[in-house]
């Protein structure tokens, strides 16, 4: 399931440093704008203690974790929607992603130049918000003009609904609000709006890049960002990218944990960010477990059993008969599949079953 989160932000906020911590791919990281011209893509393993436990219990021949794709997109600047700073290319790269990780500089450092001369994460956020909103407004206005004509002629029966949805989005954008903030009157309007693939409709996680001393508690910059996004329905995560880079250089898990403890953290910011990106894409995990392989399978939240079966192989979905489902807690508490069966804790589910995060699945099919 090739879904992607794009990392965006102004130049020199720590995007590429953070990406380098996330991925084995090493994006160029330098103290000047536009050092990242082509988007770098990293396939990142999602940390999951449940997978580790299943591996301990099954001792399989192979292990396959869940992954998420992260794209490092070159820094945007004011005027990007008009082509400034290679803006059109950068905006096109954002459009191709499914969600946005917006990195904000929340640290002071005279040795690292800020493109606007001073540190102000709320201002930086608003610059990028404005560029994305302007681009979306152009898209909506062009589409709305055509839709109004179609509605007047009566040639397109859905044009009236489309015009209503576009008008709501236009009004929000003109007020400086993202398209994702719009509430629609029907599922039909929601589906139409999704198909517009607007930049400001994408889910967003704001990552506040702080200094070492602020990694555990945040700082006044973080507080300002939190206040600014309180009505957006977006997430916020505090990460010290430079510190994460130091952690990544340590050889052993024990050394990393000792380092984290010294700065007041139980878990690295990278691990928290990967999981947050996974959730931002509305992804969850089910497992298959046995002596040959323990594997984490990625699916969209709310998917039914046949759809999830099709992730393994299309034949599983086409010929779906039933799903045998074990809850993770039952599997661990009782000591494995055999014990779960004997205890009568294995459920047999049909086509309407909505798969839950952590389910251990066996699919029965016939093609």
């Amino acid at each position: 399931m090739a879904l992607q989160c794009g990392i965006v932000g102004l130049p020199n906020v720590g995007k590429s440093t953070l990406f380098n911590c996330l991925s084995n791919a090493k994006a160029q990281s330098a103290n000047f704008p536009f050092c990242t011209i082509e988007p770098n893509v990293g396939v990142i393993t999602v940390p999951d203690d449940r997978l580790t436990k299943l591996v301990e219990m099954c001792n399989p021949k192979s292990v396959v974790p869940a992954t998420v794709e992260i794209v490092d997109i070159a820094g945007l600047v004011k005027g990007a929607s008009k082509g400034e700073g290679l803006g059109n290319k950068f905006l096109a790269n954002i459009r191709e992603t499914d969600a946005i990780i917006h990195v904000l500089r929340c640290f002071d450092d005279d040795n690292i130049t800020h493109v606007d001369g001073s540190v102000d994460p709320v201002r930086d956020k608003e610059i990028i918000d404005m560029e994305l909103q302007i681009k979306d407004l152009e898209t909506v206005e062009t589409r709305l003009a055509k839709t109004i004509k179609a509605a007047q002629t009566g040639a397109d029966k859905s044009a009236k609904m489309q015009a209503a949805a576009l008008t709501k989005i236009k009004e929000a954008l003109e007020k400086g609000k993202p398209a994702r903030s719009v509430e629609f009157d029907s599922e039909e309007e929601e589906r139409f709006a999704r198909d517009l693939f607007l930049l400001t409709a994408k889910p967003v996680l704001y990552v506040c890049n702080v200094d070492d001393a602020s990694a555990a508690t945040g700082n006044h910059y973080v507080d300002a960002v939190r206040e600014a996004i309180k009505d957006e329905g977006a997430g916020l995560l505090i990460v010290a990218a430079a510190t994460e880079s130091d952690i990544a250089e340590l050889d052993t898990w024990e050394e990393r944990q000792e380092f984290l403890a010294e700065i007041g953290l139980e878990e690295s910011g990278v691990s928290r960010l990967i999981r947050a990106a996974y959730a931002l894409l509305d992804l969850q995990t089910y497992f298959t477990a046995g002596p040959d392989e323990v594997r984490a399978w990625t699916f969209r939240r709310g998917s039914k059993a046949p759809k999830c079966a099709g992730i393994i192989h299309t034949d599983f979905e086409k010929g779906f008969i039933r799903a045998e489902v074990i809850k993770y807690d039952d599997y661990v508490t009782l000591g494995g599949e055999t014990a779960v069966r004997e205890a009568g804790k294995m459920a047999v589910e049909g086509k309407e079953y909505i798969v839950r995060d952590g389910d251990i699945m066996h699919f029965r099919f016939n093609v």
Side-chain angles (χ1 to χ4, degrees):
M1 182 175 290
L3 297 176
Q4 295 182 335
C5 275
I7 299 183
V8 305
L10 293 180
N12 293 351
V13 298
K15 294 187 302 84
S16 294
T17 300
L18 190 59
F19 178 81
N20 290 340
C21 296
L22 289 167
S23 172
N24 289 329
K26 291 295 181 183
Q28 183 186 4
S29 181
N31 184 21
F32 57 89
F34 313 121
C35 67
T36 309
I37 301 302
E38 296 299 330
N40 294 272
V41 181
V43 180
I44 316 299
T45 297
V46 179
D48 196 325
D49 292 338
R50 297 171 303 181
L51 183 70
T52 304
K53 183 63 178 179
L54 291 175
V55 170
E56 290 175 0
M57 295 179 68
C58 296
N59 192 27
K61 297 176 183 175
S62 67
V63 181
V64 183
T67 60
V68 62
E69 290 189 7
I70 306 290
V71 184
D72 180 28
I73 297 171
L76 295 179
V77 295
K78 188 181 297 184
S81 59
K82 304 300 181 185
E84 294 292 330
L86 304 179
N88 288 330
K89 183 177 179 62
F90 299 162
L91 290 169
N93 290 333
I94 294 172
R95 194 178 299 281
E96 293 170 3
T97 64
D98 301 283
I100 295 172
I101 298 171
H102 188 161
V103 182
L104 297 169
R105 176 171 171 175
C106 294
F107 64 90
D108 295 308
D109 188 335
D110 293 337
N111 295 318
I112 300 178
T113 304
H114 191 288
V115 70
D116 284 326
S118 62
V119 177
D120 185 342
V122 174
R123 176 203 58 207
D124 295 352
K125 168 196 172 307
E126 290 173 350
I127 288 173
I128 289 189
D129 284 350
M130 180 63 71
E131 298 306 323
L132 300 185
Q133 288 163 11
I134 290 171
K135 203 66 180 177
D136 278 352
L137 191 57
E138 291 176 4
T139 301
V140 169
E141 288 178 336
T142 301
R143 184 69 176 266
L144 183 58
K146 295 178 181 177
T147 304
I148 289 174
K149 287 183 180 179
Q152 290 172 341
T153 62
D156 186 348
K157 293 182 179 180
S158 66
K160 187 175 181 180
M161 174 276 297
Q162 294 178 7
L166 287 165
T167 299
K168 290 171 187 171
I169 297 170
K170 180 175 180 289
E171 290 173 352
L173 292 170
E174 288 175 339
K175 293 176 182 176
K177 296 180 179 180
R180 63 181 174 274
S181 68
V182 176
E183 294 185 6
F184 297 101
D185 294 330
S186 67
E187 290 185 8
E188 191 178 19
E189 284 187 0
E190 288 181 5
R191 284 195 298 271
F192 169 71
R194 281 198 299 269
D195 290 341
L196 294 173
F197 298 105
L198 297 174
L199 299 169
T200 64
K202 299 178 186 295
V204 174
L205 173 69
Y206 291 98
V207 175
C208 293
N209 183 17
V210 301
D211 54 35
D212 189 349
S214 305
T217 59
N219 55 32
H220 67 284
Y221 292 130
V222 175
D223 293 339
V225 173
R226 187 177 286 112
E227 176 65 21
I229 69 169
K230 64 182 181 181
D231 297 323
E232 281 193 26
L236 184 146
L237 194 67
I238 301 170
V239 174
T243 303
E244 296 293 326
S245 183
D246 292 338
I247 293 171
E249 296 297 323
L250 298 175
D251 293 328
T252 67
W253 181 85
E254 288 77 10
E255 287 177 318
R256 293 171 187 167
Q257 290 304 116
E258 184 176 342
F259 191 111
L260 288 169
E262 288 177 0
I263 60 175
L265 294 175
E266 295 181 1
E267 183 180 31
S268 75
V270 164
S271 293
R272 289 184 286 115
L273 178 54
I274 295 170
R275 278 202 297 273
Y278 195 69
L280 190 65
L281 292 167
D282 211 19
L283 300 179
Q284 293 184 323
T285 302
Y286 75 82
F287 300 97
T288 51
D292 291 329
E293 179 185 78
V294 169
R295 183 163 182 159
W297 299 89
T298 297
F299 69 97
R300 284 274 198 178
R301 182 192 304 270
S303 297
K304 293 181 180 179
K307 185 75 172 177
C308 289
I311 295 169
I312 298 177
H313 196 286
T314 53
D315 285 349
F316 283 32
E317 183 173 6
K318 292 175 183 176
F320 180 88
I321 299 173
R322 66 180 183 274
E324 297 173 353
V325 184
I326 301 173
K327 297 302 177 185
Y328 171 81
D329 288 344
D330 289 337
Y331 191 98
V332 172
T333 301
L334 295 173
E337 182 177 328
T338 300
V340 169
R341 287 180 182 273
E342 291 175 352
K345 291 283 191 177
M346 177 180 284
V348 177
E349 304 287 356
K351 293 182 178 180
E352 296 303 309
Y353 176 69
I354 297 175
V355 177
R356 304 291 193 266
D357 185 49
D359 281 352
I360 298 169
M361 309 289 292
H362 286 292
F363 297 107
R364 303 299 180 184
F365 70 102
N366 183 25
V367 176

